[in-house]
């Protein structure tokens, strides 16, 4: 070895692989305004589409008169359900096995529903023409409450009348969608009957919306000469969109190219298939010109992809000293006018059955009833894996309520019920196999860092001072410990529209030793181009700076199920590692040939293969790549490429421990977040800088949901929160600084031990903020109050407890 | 359908002349007539700041200004703040401190932050948070945006000191 050879550590650092806080390669274009989002796509002759939407939540559409609109200069077409019917595109299948109107077919079921699609020269003319379409409606009784819906004679979905069997089993009522049951109800009821203590609580997890800064949109371009359809759009799952577009339109799949360009945030909003996408495609086929559709913010909040809206009732059984013995959970799920929930096919309530949380609960039962109402369809996972936010909120509130019932400290109650390290892999009562965890270590670290005992002492003093009239501020200590379930998922039980939820990576090493890798996922800000290159760098010994990552173009990328539910790292990241290992295996043979030794006599060392016991005899990956292309090696094909399709053997189970300290002004209802500590365990950490950024972002969305963000309706089904004036998005002014921390418990089945992190902070954050608010009032008798805890509702709570007297 | 107006404006140092309806919003004139797509539309109702540009020295949400009102104005968008081989300190700083994720808010953030630092070269964290409260980010939780801006401020200040 000569003195110029860099040592191992230096070579390793040069790779910028796993564990490196590598700066993002995406940023150069974004900071210079050179991102390419769907609304930036501009094609020659491109037309603009815009929707006529229903002002009513439930009405019959008596007639649609297009004449005045068509007479306007610049209007090219006005499409209604009647125009789409011959193509069989007036309805479309939803991800939940239901179907949804693309354009109103005889009636409308929610305010803002798409009634007609206007296509015009530019967006102004289109908007003018929307005003000119005359629609005659006949109002019908409106139902916005799912409990009322299940009792009502009013049939919301007349198209399903008489169907007593739905895609997820029997329907009990004409407005009922499904019942989904997990666990053992008889045994659970028995435990509840025999229990020393039972705590019961009902809670409403309000309807909200992911509201990424960029709304949804698409540009469809049908090239009639070549028979090729190109579709740009805000798609979190471009390959699935291609398959669905092919099945719906009859255009062969190889003649459809779907491109997800840069995406301005997704958070679940961009998983579904929306009428706008379908209409832009049809309009392009009809007009022969490219057609763009981009929704405005009001349309986004009113019509695409709400989240949550779960009415949950829990019963938790325990011994007198706090050992939980059973859990019963029932959910009435408001799905709106169509069941368009974005869940794997066999999970109509997503992974709600993770609701036993981080606790060793021997017996449990979950029942979910899905119900139609006159509200927008959706039910997406807003920055969480399918319905996991609801599940974690439920159990973390039940724990607090049980602590009140037992007059026990809530941190201690958690500790004595955690699944123990040695119990992993742990079989939960509701059917999951938790892969790994070390909850006690994380919890102890969190409580110690925040000086939990000191906080409780300070809080008790504050209560006394409040009672003496010395302060008007109460102090809340919010706790949450969550287990996420991400990385869907094993193909044997997770699919979307029949497509197994694997993911993929294809990698090609160039002769000069740089590389390009393509994956079936798509970044919406998570920094895939940065982190996937890091995974590969560590696997194949080529610097991340020399590995280009591409996603989102179905003509070039391998098929994958996309990015949502924190599945990119657990699934596509694993595919990347496996593809990298295939490259390495071939590289080993090439190196052995070049070094004139047996394959088994060389070993991988950071960026090279060296002869065992003779590290000065080596070939770098660069040498090997070159040889792969310029040398005839007996028995080895030229080139250096690999593909991997990865079907994960199990989900991954990231977890974390959060503590929030809040001061609440009883007279104004304003909560002030004094401290927020977040410990996350996402297994192996690929890029700590990006992880930290994901945690900040997820916590901020959690703050929003817990403290004010809501999609609410009045009795007439009018959306009351349809603009950013009423729909709460926190600004820099409202958001605190967060303290982040971690433990590392690698996933035993993931090739690099990573678990995914993008959604954990949202899942764990919502109950933490909510628990902090509620904890502040515990000393005054509060048991539970529903989110969102905006100033008015907090004031109301204080008032109900008599704190203003 | 409306008589078009003759509009002149200087954007990022370049003169432009074009016809537009008086009701056209500045953001669409920039994005669709001039192909300056750095500024984005996040809400249309002056809440999000994704469309922020500088008009005659002031931060303006360009979804809330008619192009007619900007006739004759001097406008800077994110594209005019730095050049690929000579990035503005803020552009470097956002990358360095991970002040962006999806990047959709970033042009507005950086454009606004340049004005903020012109108005107040030595802001406290609180002043940065207040001064940026018109720009919404859904991804970052702001912590790293604030960090990026404070770091850029101190870098600009030390550069100034060094020059004196
Ligand atoms: S688009 Fe102008 S402020 Fe949101
Ligand atoms: S980086 Fe996505 S909105 Fe700010």
């Amino acid at each position: 070895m000569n003195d110029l050879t860099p040592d191992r550590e230096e070579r390793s650092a040069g790779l910028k692989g796993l564990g490196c806080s590598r700066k993002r390669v995406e940023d150069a274009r974004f900071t210079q305004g050179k991102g390419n989002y769907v609304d930036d796509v501009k094609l020659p002759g491109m037309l603009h589409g815009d929707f006529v939407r229903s002002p009513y939540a439930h009405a019959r559409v008596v007639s649609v008169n297009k004449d005045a609109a068509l007479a306007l200069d610049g209007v090219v077409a006005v499409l209604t359900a009647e125009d789409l019917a011959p193509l069989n595109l007036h309805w479309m299948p939803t991800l939940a096995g239901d179907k949804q109107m693309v354009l109103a077919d005889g009636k409308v079921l929610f305010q803002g529903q798409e009634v007609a699609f206007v296509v015009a020269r530019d967006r102004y003319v289109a908007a003018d023409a929307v005003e000119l379409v005359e629609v005659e409606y006949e109002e019908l009784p409106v139902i916005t409450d799912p409990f009322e819906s299940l009792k009502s004679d009013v049939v919301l979905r007349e198209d399903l009348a008489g169907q007593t069997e739905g895609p997820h089993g029997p329907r009990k009522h004409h407005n009922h969608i499904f019942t989904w049951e997990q666990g053992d109800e008889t045994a659970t009821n028995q435990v509840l009957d025999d229990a020393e203590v039972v705590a019961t609580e009902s809670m409403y997890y309000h309807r909200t919306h992911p509201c990424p800064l960029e709304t949804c949109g698409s540009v469809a371009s049908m090239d009639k000469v070549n028979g090729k359809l190109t579709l740009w759009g805000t798609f979190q799952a471009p390959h699935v969109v291609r398959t669905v577009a092919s099945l719906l339109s009859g255009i062969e799949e190889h003649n459809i190219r779907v491109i997800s360009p840069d995406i301005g945030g997704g958070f679940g909003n961009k998983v579904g298939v929306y009428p706008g996408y379908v209409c832009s495609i049809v309009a392009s086929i009809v007009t022969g010109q490219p057609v763009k559709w981009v929704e405005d913010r009001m349309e986004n909040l009113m019509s695409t992809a709400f989240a949550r809206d779960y009415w949950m009732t829990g019963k938790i059984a325990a011994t007198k000293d706090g050992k939980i013995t059973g859990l019963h959970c029932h959910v009435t799920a408001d799905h709106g006018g169509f069941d368009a929930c974005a869940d794997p096919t066999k999970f109509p309530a997503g992974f709600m059955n993770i609701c036993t949380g981080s606790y060793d609960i021997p017996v449990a039962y979950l029942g979910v009833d899905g119900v139609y109402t006159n509200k927008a369809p959706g039910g997406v996972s807003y920055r969480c894996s399918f319905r996991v936010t609801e599940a974690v909120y439920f159990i973390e509130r039940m724990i607090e309520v049980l602590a009140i019932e037992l007059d026990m400290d809530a941190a201690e109650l958690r500790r004595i019920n955690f699944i123990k390290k040695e119990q992993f892999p742990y079989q939960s009562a509701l059917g999951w196999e938790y892969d790994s965890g070390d909850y006690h270590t994380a919890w102890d670290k969190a409580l110690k860092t925040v000086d939990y005992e000191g906080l409780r002492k300070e809080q008790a003093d504050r209560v006394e001072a409040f009672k003496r009239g010395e302060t008007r501020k109460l102090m809340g200590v919010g706790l949450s410990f969550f287990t996420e379930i991400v990385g869907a998922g094993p193909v044997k039980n997770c699919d979307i529209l029949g497509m197994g939820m694997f993911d993929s990576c294809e990698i090609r090493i160039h002769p000069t030793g740089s590389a390009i890798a393509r994956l079936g996922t798509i970044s919406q800000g998570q920094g895939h181009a940065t982190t996937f290159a890091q995974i590969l760098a560590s696997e194949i010994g080529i610097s991340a700076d020399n590995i280009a990552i591409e996603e989102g173009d179905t003509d070039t990328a391998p098929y994958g199920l996309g990015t949502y539910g924190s599945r990119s790292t657990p699934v596509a990241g694993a595919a990347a590692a496996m593809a990298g290992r295939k490259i390495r295996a071939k590289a080993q043979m090439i190196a052995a040939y070049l070094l004139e030794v047996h394959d088994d006599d060389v070993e991988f060392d950071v960026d090279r293969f060296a002869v065992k016991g003779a590290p000065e005899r080596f070939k770098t990956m660069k040498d090997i790549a070159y040889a792969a292309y310029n040398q005839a090696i007996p028995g080895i094909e030229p080139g250096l490429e690999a593909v991997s399709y990865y079907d994960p053997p199990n989900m991954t189970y990231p977890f974390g421990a959060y503590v929030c300290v809040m001061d609440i002004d009883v007279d104004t209802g304003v909560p002030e977040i004094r401290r927020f500590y977040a410990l996350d365990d996402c297994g192996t950490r690929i890029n700590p800088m990006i992880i930290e950024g994901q945690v900040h972002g997820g916590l901020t969305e959690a703050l929003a949901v817990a403290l004010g963000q809501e999609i609410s309706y009045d009795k007439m089904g009018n959306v009351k929160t349809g603009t950013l004036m009423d729909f709460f998005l926190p600004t820099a002014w409202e958001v605190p600084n967060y303290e982040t921390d971690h433990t590392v418990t690698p996933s035993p089945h993931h090739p690099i031990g990573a678990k995914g992190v993008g959604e954990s902070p949202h899942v764990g954050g919502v109950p933490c903020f909510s628990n902090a608010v509620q904890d502040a009032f515990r000393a005054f008798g509060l048991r539970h109050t529903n989110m969102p805890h905006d100033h008015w509702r907090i004031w109301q709570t204080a008032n109900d407890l008599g704190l203003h007297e | 359908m409306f008589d078009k107006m003759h509009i002149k404006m200087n954007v990022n140092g370049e003169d432009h002349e074009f016809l537009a309806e008086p009701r056209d919003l500045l953001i669409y004139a920039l994005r669709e007539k001039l192909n300056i797509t750095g500024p984005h539309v996040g809400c249309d109702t002056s809440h999000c700041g994704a469309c922020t540009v500088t008009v005659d020295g002031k931060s303006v949400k360009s979804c809330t200004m008619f192009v007619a009102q900007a006739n004759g104005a001097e406008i800077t968008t994110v594209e005019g703040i730095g050049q690929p081989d000579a990035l503005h300190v803020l552009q470097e700083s956002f990358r360095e401190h991970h002040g962006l994720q999806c990047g959709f808010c970033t042009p507005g953030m950086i454009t606004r932050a340049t004005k903020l630092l012109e108005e107040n070269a030595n802001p406290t964290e609180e002043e940065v948070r207040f001064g940026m409260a018109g720009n919404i980010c859904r991804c970052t939780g702001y912590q790293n945006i604030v960090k990026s801006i404070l770091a850029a401020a101190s870098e600009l200040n030390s550069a100034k000191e060094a020059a004196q």
Side-chain angles (χ1 to χ4, degrees):
Chain A
M1 203 187 306
N2 70 43
D3 293 341
L4 293 174
T5 309
D7 69 22
R8 245 182 139 251
E9 255 156 63
E10 232 172 282
R11 286 188 281 125
S12 188
L15 290 183
K16 301 195 187 166
L18 291 184
C20 166
S21 280
R22 178 180 185 226
K23 304 297 171 214
R24 301 199 331 162
V25 296
E26 296 88 342
D27 292 356
R29 70 175 186 280
F30 293 145
T31 55
Q32 295 177 73
K34 295 295 182 200
N36 184 36
Y37 302 90
V38 70
D39 203 10
D40 300 337
V41 173
K42 197 175 179 182
L43 303 172
M46 188 172 74
L47 303 171
H48 292 256
D50 202 349
F51 279 111
V52 176
R53 291 176 182 275
S54 169
Y56 299 109
H58 195 199
R60 237 171 259 299
V61 177
V62 180
S63 66
V64 181
N65 184 343
K66 320 170 176 176
D67 296 349
L70 284 170
L72 184 70
D73 181 36
V75 174
V76 179
V78 178
L79 303 176
T80 62
E82 234 169 79
D83 303 306
L84 301 189
L87 304 165
N88 208 17
L89 285 173
H90 53 320
W91 287 76
M92 62 180 186
T94 69
L95 297 179
D98 194 2
K99 54 184 181 148
Q100 174 178 352
M101 290 178 215
V102 174
L103 292 171
D105 184 20
K107 73 185 285 193
V108 287
L109 285 157
F110 64 94
Q111 187 184 50
Q113 188 177 329
E114 301 79 2
V115 175
F117 190 66
V118 171
V119 186
R121 187 180 58 215
D122 67 38
R123 68 174 80 228
Y124 281 82
V125 177
D128 288 337
V130 163
E131 299 300 315
L132 294 174
V133 176
E134 293 161 22
V135 186
E136 196 186 326
Y137 298 96
E138 184 187 303
E139 284 183 70
L140 294 168
V142 172
I143 307 174
T144 56
D145 175 298
F147 299 98
E148 195 191 309
S149 185
L150 286 179
K151 286 184 269 168
S152 173
D153 294 339
V154 178
V155 181
L156 297 178
R157 290 290 298 276
E158 286 155 345
D159 59 298
L160 301 178
Q163 286 187 21
T164 51
E165 198 59 34
H168 307 292
R171 300 172 67 211
K172 295 184 211 156
H173 177 269
H174 51 250
N175 295 332
H176 179 254
I177 310 172
F178 63 82
T179 300
W180 190 58
E181 291 183 288
Q182 297 286 299
D184 186 339
E185 186 166 31
T186 321
T188 307
N189 285 339
Q190 193 59 51
V191 168
L192 286 163
D193 287 345
D194 300 344
E196 292 174 6
V197 181
V198 175
T200 304
E201 192 55 67
S202 293
M203 55 191 93
Y204 176 46
Y205 200 142
H206 59 289
R207 181 176 274 238
T208 183
H209 194 284
C211 195
L213 199 57
E214 177 203 35
T215 59
C216 300
S218 58
V219 177
S221 178
M222 183 73 209
D223 175 344
K224 291 204 170 168
V225 177
N226 297 310
K228 245 201 136 159
L229 171 72
T230 309
L231 182 66
W232 289 261
T234 45
F235 308 133
Q236 287 182 234
H239 300 272
V240 179
V241 169
R242 185 187 68 193
T243 303
V244 174
S246 172
L247 293 173
L248 284 180
S249 67
I251 302 172
E252 300 87 346
E253 201 164 353
H254 68 277
N255 276 330
I256 301 178
R257 178 180 184 191
V258 176
I259 301 173
S260 292
D262 287 325
I263 295 187
F267 317 124
N269 197 171
K270 293 162 181 172
V271 173
V273 174
Y274 301 121
Y277 302 157
V278 178
C279 287
S280 66
I281 296 173
V282 176
S284 180
I285 294 173
V286 170
T287 61
Q289 282 169 272
V291 176
K292 178 188 275 185
W293 165 75
V294 177
E295 62 181 0
D296 66 25
R297 178 58 61 196
M298 194 184 260
E299 295 178 289
N300 174 251
L301 291 173
M302 282 173 76
S303 69
T304 47
F306 78 88
R308 323 283 151 86
D309 215 344
Y310 261 29
W311 299 83
M312 310 186 280
T313 300
K315 290 180 215 145
I316 189 163
T319 62
K320 279 199 296 280
D321 43 13
K323 188 78 192 94
I324 301 171
T325 52
L327 178 74
H328 189 288
C329 174
H330 182 266
V331 181
T332 299
D334 185 340
H335 285 218
F338 306 96
D339 185 12
C341 285
D343 292 317
T345 308
K346 291 181 200 126
F347 296 86
F351 302 157
M352 182 67 198
N353 55 335
I354 193 82
C355 66
T356 51
S358 317
Y359 310 104
D360 183 14
I361 303 181
V363 190
Y365 166 79
L366 166 72
V368 183
D369 281 291
V371 184
Y372 290 122
T373 61
N374 289 120
K375 289 154 86 173
V380 298
S381 325
Y382 169 8
R383 202 159 186 154
C384 66
S385 196
F386 317 100
R387 300 286 186 185
V388 174
T389 316
E390 289 89 325
V392 170
Y393 182 75
F394 168 79
I395 185 66
E396 289 304 287
R397 280 304 302 150
M398 287 311 295
I399 291 283
E400 295 283 319
V401 170
L402 180 62
I404 293 171
E405 192 80 38
L406 292 163
D407 195 21
M408 223 178 135
D409 176 74
E412 185 54 23
L413 179 58
R414 284 180 173 85
R415 186 201 313 275
I416 61 177
N417 285 292
F418 281 145
I419 300 162
K420 293 187 194 73
K421 193 177 166 189
E422 56 277 13
Q423 286 177 281
F424 292 95
Y426 172 81
Q427 213 64 46
S428 84
L430 293 178
W432 296 112
E433 184 183 301
Y434 292 29
D435 68 346
S436 59
D438 182 356
Y439 300 164
H440 287 94
T441 302
W443 197 228
D444 291 345
K445 186 174 184 189
L447 298 184
K448 188 155 174 258
T449 313
V450 299
D451 181 19
Y452 181 68
E453 272 169 36
L455 287 173
R456 285 296 180 205
K457 163 120 202 353
E458 187 190 346
Q459 184 186 38
D461 291 346
R462 183 77 71 82
V463 169
E464 291 314 312
F466 183 88
K467 287 182 176 158
R468 290 194 302 268
E470 291 163 15
T471 176
R472 295 297 290 160
K473 282 191 183 173
L474 293 174
M475 177 179 159
V477 181
L479 303 175
S480 96
F481 195 98
F482 64 91
T483 297
E484 254 260 74
I485 170 168
V486 305
V491 169
K492 64 179 186 298
N493 51 22
C494 289
D495 70 274
I496 295 229
L497 292 175
M499 235 58 69
M501 295 180 73
F502 58 83
D503 229 289
S504 58
C505 174
E506 180 190 287
I507 172 161
R508 205 178 279 178
I509 315 287
H510 306 313
T512 53
S514 70
I516 181 164
R518 299 188 171 101
L519 297 99
T521 42
I522 176 73
S523 186
Q524 307 126 38
Q526 296 91 334
H528 290 176
T530 306
T531 49
F532 284 146
Q534 291 182 253
I535 295 177
L536 283 166
S538 290
E539 291 293 340
I540 62 176
I542 291 175
S543 168
D545 289 344
N546 293 327
I547 304 173
I549 300 289
E550 268 185 24
E551 307 172 294
D553 181 340
T554 60
D555 263 12
T556 55
Y559 204 99
L561 271 277
T563 296
Y564 42 86
S566 280
R567 62 186 300 284
S568 298
T569 298
V571 193
M578 297 314 274
R581 284 172 199 181
K582 289 185 187 174
I583 294 280
R584 211 158 81 183
K586 183 166 178 183
Q588 180 164 5
M589 294 193 280
I590 298 173
Y593 171 81
L594 296 174
L595 292 163
E596 296 175 355
V597 293
H598 189 270
D599 288 358
D600 293 339
D601 293 333
V602 292
E603 61 189 350
F604 187 66
D605 176 27
V606 184
D607 59 349
R608 63 191 60 183
F609 276 95
V611 175
K612 282 183 186 161
E616 71 285 357
R617 291 188 58 209
F618 63 84
K619 290 287 169 192
T620 64
M621 285 302 290
K622 216 176 147 95
D623 303 331
I624 295 166
Y626 194 62
Y629 290 91
N630 86 336
Q631 251 178 327
I633 304 175
I636 299 180
E637 277 179 23
L640 197 49
E641 298 187 7
V643 187
S644 169
Y645 280 77
Y646 189 77
D647 174 11
N650 189 2
M651 313 268 182
T652 59
Y653 296 77
F655 59 92
Y658 293 176
V659 182
C660 172
V661 186
M662 215 181 246
D663 293 301
I664 293 182
D665 186 320
V666 168
D667 297 315
T668 60
V670 176
E672 216 174 281
I673 298 151
R674 194 202 305 173
R675 184 168 188 191
F676 199 108
Y677 169 86
L679 178 151
D680 275 279
D681 191 319
C682 58
T684 303
R685 292 157 58 84
I686 299 166
N687 182 323
M689 175 193 84
I690 287 181
I691 292 173
E692 197 170 284
Q694 290 288 317
V695 173
H696 295 166
L699 288 174
T700 302
E701 290 188 342
L703 178 154
V705 169
L707 301 184
Q709 185 180 86
E710 180 179 24
I711 295 285
S712 74
Y713 289 80
D714 68 12
K715 285 251 169 281
M716 302 291 293
N718 296 307
V719 182
K720 296 197 289 181
T721 49
T723 72
L724 298 191
M725 180 79 93
D726 316 293
F727 185 80
F728 174 52
L729 296 183
T731 69
W733 188 241
E734 283 112 358
V735 173
N737 283 312
Y738 305 104
E739 291 165 54
T740 54
D741 202 348
H742 63 273
T743 54
V744 177
T745 313
S747 166
H749 60 79
H750 187 281
I752 59 165
K755 295 182 172 179
V757 75
E759 297 165 334
S760 295
H762 190 73
V763 166
V766 176
C768 192
F769 285 111
S770 178
N771 283 345
V773 172
Q774 314 215 37
D775 180 70
F777 296 104
R778 177 172 168 177
F780 299 90
L782 180 71
R783 200 180 150 94
H784 173 79
T785 179
N786 285 329
M787 297 186 292
H789 310 295
D790 56 22
H791 303 171
W792 157 244
R793 285 186 176 93
I794 292 177
W795 182 91
Q796 189 74 54
T797 300
N799 200 55
D800 290 348
L801 295 170
L803 302 183
H804 294 147
E805 278 141 32
Chain B
M1 63 186 302
F2 293 94
D3 283 344
K4 297 214 164 157
M5 282 179 70
H6 189 168
I7 305 281
K8 282 189 189 180
M9 56 175 62
N10 180 289
V11 186
N12 301 328
E14 231 179 89
D15 287 326
H16 294 273
E17 288 192 44
F18 55 92
L19 290 176
E21 289 184 25
R23 64 170 181 169
D24 285 0
L25 296 172
L26 176 58
I27 181 72
Y28 291 119
L30 292 171
R31 290 180 50 82
E32 286 173 8
K33 294 206 192 301
L34 307 182
N35 291 325
I36 294 171
T37 55
H40 297 136
V41 179
C43 69
D44 264 335
T45 51
S46 7
H47 289 101
C48 77
C51 61
T52 305
V53 301
T54 307
V55 179
D56 291 334
K58 284 205 174 76
S59 291
V60 163
K61 291 179 174 171
S62 61
C63 71
T64 314
M65 183 181 253
F66 292 117
V67 66
Q69 292 171 286
N71 198 3
E74 214 166 279
I75 295 173
T76 308
T77 71
V78 70
E79 287 93 335
I81 284 171
Q83 291 311 313
D85 43 6
L87 290 184
H88 189 276
V89 173
L90 274 161
Q91 289 169 317
E92 297 275 18
S93 185
F94 267 66
R95 174 176 151 89
E96 186 62 30
H97 299 285
H98 193 27
L100 66 150
Q101 290 180 24
C102 79
F104 201 75
C105 70
T106 312
M109 287 283 175
I110 288 180
T111 311
R112 170 61 199 141
T114 56
K115 289 312 296 175
L116 178 81
L117 295 186
E118 270 172 51
E119 291 156 9
N120 178 358
N122 242 325
T124 61
E125 175 179 339
E126 202 167 51
E127 286 166 338
V128 170
R129 286 185 176 273
F130 189 74
M132 297 302 295
N135 290 69
I136 286 173
C137 174
R138 292 289 292 137
C139 300
T140 64
Y142 304 104
Q143 194 158 330
N144 288 341
I145 290 181
V146 172
K147 208 176 173 190
S148 306
I149 296 173
L150 288 171
S154 71
E155 197 167 316
L156 285 167
N157 289 337
S158 20
K160 247 185 266 164
E161 262 164 44
Q164 273 159 16

